[in-house]
Each structure stands twice: as C-alpha cells, then as structure tokens.
Amino acid sequence: MLRRINYFVLGLIGASLISAITVPFLAWFYSPDSIGRFSFFLLTVSFSVQIGALGLDQGYVREYHASQNKTRLLSESIAPIFFIVLAFFFSSLAFSLFDDLAEFIVSESTALLGVFIFLAYALSIAHRFATVYYRVKSLGALFCFTLISVKLIFLLSAYSAHMLDWRESISLYSSYLISLAVPLFGLATVWSIRLIKAPSVTFVDRSWFSVVNLDLLKYSFPLLFGALAFWGVKFSGHIGLRYYENFEELAFYSVGVSIAAGLGLFSSIFNTMWFPFLFKAEAAGKSQKALRVGIDMTLGFLIFGAGAAGVVAIFVVKLLPGSFSKVQFFLPLLVLSSLLYTLSEVSGSGIALSKQTRFGLYAGVAGSAAAIASALLLCGVYGAAGAAYSYALGHLAFFVCRTEFARRLWMGENVLRMYLVVAVCSFYTGLCAFPAMEESVLPAVVGVALMIIAIPLMVKSAVRLKSLRTELP
C-alpha cells in the first residue's frame, strides 16, 4: 500500500495546505505590523534564492539522467552558488552591510536581522538543492518529509516563541531559521553515518572548488531570466505596499495570498500534470483535441472557482481576528489570479509546442510591468485592496499575452469565448472588492449562480478528457 503513495505529490499538497494556514494562524498571535515585515522578509529570501541559484537547480535536473558522472554534475551545479554565498557574506561583513540590509528589507536597522536574512538565504538555497536531489534520486518519502517538516517546525517554533514571550522583532525570523536548519541538520547526520559505514560513498566531487561547467550555466541562465520575468506579477502587491512602508496592509494582503493559495490548490496540481499530458497527446497527433479539452476544463474551473471564492470568503474570514476582516472582500481577486495563471498555461501551450519559449519570457515581462506599475499607483491609496487589483491585472496581462503569442505561433484557437468568461469573472471578483459591496449579499448570490453554471461545463469536459485518455498510447 505504501508503495502506491506518490510521496512527491503528497509532499507538495501537504506543504501547500500548511502554507495556506500559516500566516492566518500567526495573525492570532502576532501584530499585523510584525507579520507584514516578516512577509517581505520571506519575499526577499525567495527572490535572492531565485537569483542566487542561477537556474542551476533546473539545469541539474535536466542533465542528471544523461550525465555519465552524476557526482561531478552535482559539484558543477553547486560550485558557482557556493562562491556567490561566500562573496555575499564576506562583502557584507567587510563593508558592515548587515545593518543596511535589515533597514532596506524590514525597516529595522539591526545587524542581527541582517545576519538572519543572510542565513535564511544560504539555508534556503541548501534546501532547494536538497529537494532537487531527492527528486532525481526518487526519494519521495524524504522529499515529502522535508517539505512538510519545514512548515510544521516553523509553526511550532513561532507559537512557542510567542508563548515564551520572545520579542516580536526576532521571534518570526529565528523560528524560520530553526525550521530550515533542523531538517538540514538531520540530513547531514544521516549522510555522516552513511559515510562512516561506507567510506567509499561520495556525495560531492572532491575537486568541486575548481569545477565550473560553462555549458550548464548557458542552459540554466535563460531559465533564470524566464522565472524572474514572472516574478514581478507574483509579488507586485508586496512590492507596492513595501514601497509605501504600509506593513499593516502588507499583513492583510499576505494573509489573503496565503488563503488563496490553499483555495487554489487545484491550480498547482493541474499545472504540474498539464504539459506531460499535452506532449503525450502531441506524440499521438491529438494535441489540438487535447488543447480544446484543456481549455474547456480550465474555463469551467475558472467560473466555479471565482464563484466559490466569493461565497467561501464570507466564512473563511470568520477564522481570522476581527482586524483582518477586510481580507474577505479582495480574496476572490487573489483566487481568480491563480486560476488565470492556470488558464494561461493551457491557452499559451502553443508557445511550448512551437518551441518558441522566448515568447513566454516576453509575456512575463509584460505581465510584471503591468502588475508593478499598477501596484505603485494603487497601493498608496487603496492599500491591500489595491495590491490585490494589481496582482489580478498582472495575471490578466500575462494571460492575454501568452494566449495571443500562442495562437499566432501555433494553431489559432477561437479566443472570444475565453475572453468573455475571463471578463465576466474579473468583473465579478473586482466588484467584490468594492467598499460598497461590504454590506451586500449580491456577491454571494452571484457566486452561487456562477458555481451552478460551471458544473455542466466541468462534467462535460471531464467526460471528454476521459475519452481522450483512452485514445492515447
């Protein structure tokens, strides 16, 4: 029975669900200001890891099965990152930059927080490569344990710090470091025991300090820029609120994003499964049929998800402290954004099928520009609601660009139906965030109507998908 469990999927789902409740849980024990600062701290660490990893984690996965010397490949993937981490540390130490780093990120000029930021960056990179290593080695149980344990340890540490009455200014940051360090320490212990029992076993090539693979870097760099292009869409709201130093509104927005991630769990699962299915259909000469089925299915989920978000938001907000009640009104916008990304994965499939991946980069740049520009305009006036609008606008621009690029590069699809559905759902979720709707039952009524409308489309597309799967080898 245990062998039938897909631990990789289980780990992703478990970690996503725990992440969805983490920030709302913390809202009961920490002030909005502290949560807002910590949210931007996490954003900075995420961005730093995205850049600092140089895309080499993806390059390692891509080359692993074809490599004749897998130990050396790991060394070639780690070496450039190791030098970057060392250079960052010694330059910060030599020029006393830790105070400035903390001031820039969380508006608190203390060297200790600057050191925390560096340690979080270094440990997060180590975690990324550890999980990549588990994936290529098919160590699903260890992958699942690592992802979930990090989330659970953080929750327990943050709650314990609150109960022990630690200073809020360091409690969340130190808890985060503990959650990263403990699993890595356990991994290092296991490896050490294995090395003692089998001295011939090696995990890193002994000559790795002098190993740099230029071909690997050339492959990885474009992947890095593609990911960074979409980064502005994903974090535009955080950037806008941090620009105006409105950490309390940033806390409200972060809580909404966390809940939306949990409600949009379907999106992350579908995104993982879509392209392998599409490429399999392409090999069988049925890519066009697969694309139509995929579009119908995602449109059904988009309509249902938008309506459900408007209804569920009324009840979800009851689980939060009273000061976070405003999350209810812009939550549907955040859920719509994650569903728009899923729709763009399907509608933009022609980019991948035509192998013109640079157009995905262009779409990311356009979406990021729209999201950040609107965030800087709206966040100063509307706070967290403005951040939610910019988040949705960025995803909308990203979706339109990917769709238009794809239908020109590959086989043209009738996009009028898609645009009409997206326009209706965008108008509905945007209306939910209006202050005038706070006392109205209209959002809930319309939400139920959308859910009812979506069910036949979802059922029909599911039947067509099942039929198509039987036609594939």
Side-chain angles (χ1 to χ4, degrees):
M1 179 64 183
L2 291 176
R3 292 183 179 179
R4 297 180 184 177
I5 298 175
N6 189 325
Y7 285 103
F8 293 101
V9 174
L10 181 63
L12 290 171
I13 293 175
S16 297
L17 290 176
I18 298 172
S19 295
I21 67 169
T22 294
V23 179
F25 175 79
L26 295 177
W28 286 98
F29 306 105
Y30 291 88
S31 67
D33 183 76
S34 295
I35 293 177
R37 293 176 194 274
F38 179 68
S39 297
F40 200 77
F41 162 83
L42 292 179
L43 168 64
T44 304
V45 171
S46 172
F47 181 66
S48 301
V49 171
Q50 191 79 59
I51 295 178
L54 303 176
L56 288 170
D57 54 329
Q58 299 180 64
Y60 175 69
V61 174
R62 173 67 177 82
E63 298 295 328
Y64 178 80
H65 294 290
S67 175
Q68 298 299 316
N69 189 337
K70 293 177 173 52
T71 301
R72 186 175 180 83
L73 177 65
L74 179 60
S75 301
E76 293 168 343
S77 302
I78 294 176
I81 301 170
F82 180 79
F83 291 127
I84 288 176
V85 171
L86 284 182
F88 178 37
F89 174 75
F90 285 115
S91 61
S92 299
L93 194 64
F95 297 102
S96 301
L97 297 178
F98 287 122
D99 293 64
D100 297 330
L101 185 63
E103 174 65 30
F104 176 73
I105 294 172
V106 295
S107 293
E108 293 185 18
S109 184
T110 59
L112 179 61
L113 287 181
V115 173
F116 279 3
I117 293 167
F118 167 76
L119 290 175
Y121 158 67
L123 291 172
S124 295
I125 285 185
H127 258 284
R128 173 170 290 198
F129 268 91
T131 53
V132 164
Y133 182 82
Y134 301 152
R135 282 167 53 197
V136 297
K137 288 289 188 179
S138 298
L139 301 173
L142 199 53
F143 176 87
C144 176
F145 170 78
T146 300
L147 288 187
I148 293 178
S149 65
V150 168
K151 305 296 183 181
L152 289 177
I153 291 171
F154 172 69
L155 273 179
L156 292 173
S157 298
Y159 178 71
S160 300
H162 169 76
M163 297 303 292
L164 294 172
D165 203 24
W166 288 10
R167 283 176 23 220
E168 278 202 1
S169 58
I170 64 168
S171 293
L172 292 173
Y173 309 107
S174 56
S175 297
Y176 186 70
L177 291 179
I178 292 171
S179 70
L180 293 173
V182 170
L184 286 176
F185 177 78
L187 173 65
T189 303
V190 172
W191 278 11
S192 299
I193 294 172
R194 187 175 178 184
L195 286 171
I196 292 171
K197 290 183 177 180
S200 61
V201 175
T202 58
F203 296 96
V204 179
D205 195 293
R206 289 184 172 83
S207 62
W208 76 289
F209 284 100
S210 61
V211 174
V212 175
N213 187 330
L214 294 179
D215 291 333
L216 187 64
L217 285 171
K218 288 178 182 178
Y219 171 82
S220 301
F221 259 53
L223 299 176
L224 166 66
F225 292 128
L228 290 178
F230 185 70
W231 189 88
V233 177
K234 190 174 181 181
F235 297 112
S236 57
H238 295 80
I239 295 170
L241 292 170
R242 174 62 182 89
Y243 176 78
Y244 292 103
E245 296 192 4
N246 197 338
F247 290 106
E248 185 170 325
E249 290 290 319
L250 180 54
F252 300 148
Y253 177 70
S254 299
V255 167
V257 170
S258 296
I259 297 174
L263 295 178
L265 186 59
F266 155 78
S267 297
S268 60
I269 297 174
F270 184 88
N271 295 344
T272 303
M273 299 173 61
W274 167 247
F275 279 108
F277 169 74
L278 178 65
F279 293 146
K280 186 177 181 179
E282 181 191 27
K286 298 184 180 294
S287 56
Q288 189 75 7
K289 188 174 182 180
L291 183 58
R292 293 195 184 103
V293 172
I295 288 175
D296 285 347
M297 177 167 285
T298 48
L299 284 177
F301 276 107
L302 181 75
I303 299 169
F304 186 89
V311 176
V312 172
I314 300 173
F315 303 99
V316 168
V317 77
K318 304 298 182 184
L319 304 176
L320 298 171
S323 58
F324 285 80
S325 60
K326 64 166 61 180
V327 173
Q328 166 187 340
F329 307 110
F330 59 80
L331 181 61
L333 266 177
L334 300 176
V335 173
L336 175 74
S337 299
S338 66
L339 294 171
L340 270 178
Y341 178 79
T342 299
L343 181 59
S344 71
E345 285 282 88
V346 181
S347 67
S349 296
I351 295 175
L353 291 170
S354 65
K355 299 181 181 180
Q356 300 290 327
T357 53
R358 68 181 184 277
F359 287 93
L361 173 63
Y362 302 155
V365 171
S368 293
I372 294 175
S374 57
L376 294 176
L377 289 172
L378 298 174
C379 288
V381 180
Y382 301 106
Y389 276 115
S390 67
Y391 189 65
L393 286 171
H395 278 85
L396 186 61
F398 182 69
F399 157 70
V400 171
C401 288
R402 286 189 76 176
T403 302
E404 291 302 316
F405 287 147
R407 75 189 188 98
R408 284 167 172 75
L409 291 170
W410 199 57
M411 299 180 185
E413 282 289 322
N414 183 5
V415 297
L416 181 60
R417 181 169 55 108
M418 271 195 297
Y419 288 158
L420 180 61
V421 170
V422 168
V424 170
C425 292
S426 298
F427 178 77
Y428 164 69
T429 54
L431 194 64
C432 290
F434 271 35
M437 292 291 107
E438 292 186 6
E439 303 297 330
S440 175
V441 297
L442 182 62
V445 173
V446 175
V448 171
L450 289 174
M451 294 169 66
I452 294 173
I453 292 171
I455 291 175
L457 180 58
M458 293 165 60
V459 172
K460 182 180 178 181
S461 59
V463 172
R464 291 171 59 200
L465 176 63
K466 183 178 180 180
S467 174
L468 178 58
R469 289 175 66 90
T470 61
E471 300 175 15
L472 299 181

